Amino acid sequence: MRKDGIFIAVEVDDNAAADTELARRLTEACPVDIFAQGGDGALEIVEQNLDECVLCRLCLDAAPDGVVRIIKLYDQGAVLA
Ligand code: SF4
């Protein structure tokens, strides 16, 4: 899944997004509430918060490598590493 803000886009591997434990970890990790859990526990990306991203990398640390991608739309699509 992917959602785009004006400055930031967030992409999460679809299989990983269905993992409720990973969804819980991401929801807890992000300081600006870009991640949430739906009624079924699966991950949701909160579109209206995307541009609040502070590039803290906590979501990258909370997920296996490559599962979450933070894309800097303001920087020609550079991916936060
Ligand atoms: S880099 Fe930080 S602020 Fe941005 S989505 Fe990940 S946890 Fe949230």
Side-chain angles (χ1 to χ4, degrees):
M1 67 167 77
R2 172 173 168 155
K3 293 248 172 99
D4 288 46
I6 295 170
F7 304 112
I8 293 286
V10 173
E11 193 171 78
V12 180
D13 175 88
D14 283 329
N15 289 330
D19 176 344
T20 57
E21 173 56 26
L22 179 63
R24 187 189 63 75
R25 287 209 306 272
L26 287 171
T27 301
E28 277 183 14
C30 181
V32 293
D33 297 332
I34 285 172
F35 302 104
Q37 285 182 276
D40 59 357
L43 189 71
E44 292 183 349
I45 298 172
V46 183
E47 200 165 350
Q48 65 266 31
N49 291 347
L50 283 171
D51 289 323
E52 305 298 323
C53 176
V54 292
L55 307 175
C56 67
R57 297 180 172 78
L58 291 174
C59 56
L60 304 183
D61 292 344
D65 284 351
V67 162
V68 177
R69 282 158 47 92
I70 305 297
I71 299 152
K72 297 185 261 186
L73 300 175
Y74 63 88
D75 189 12
Q76 285 150 12
V79 175
L80 181 66

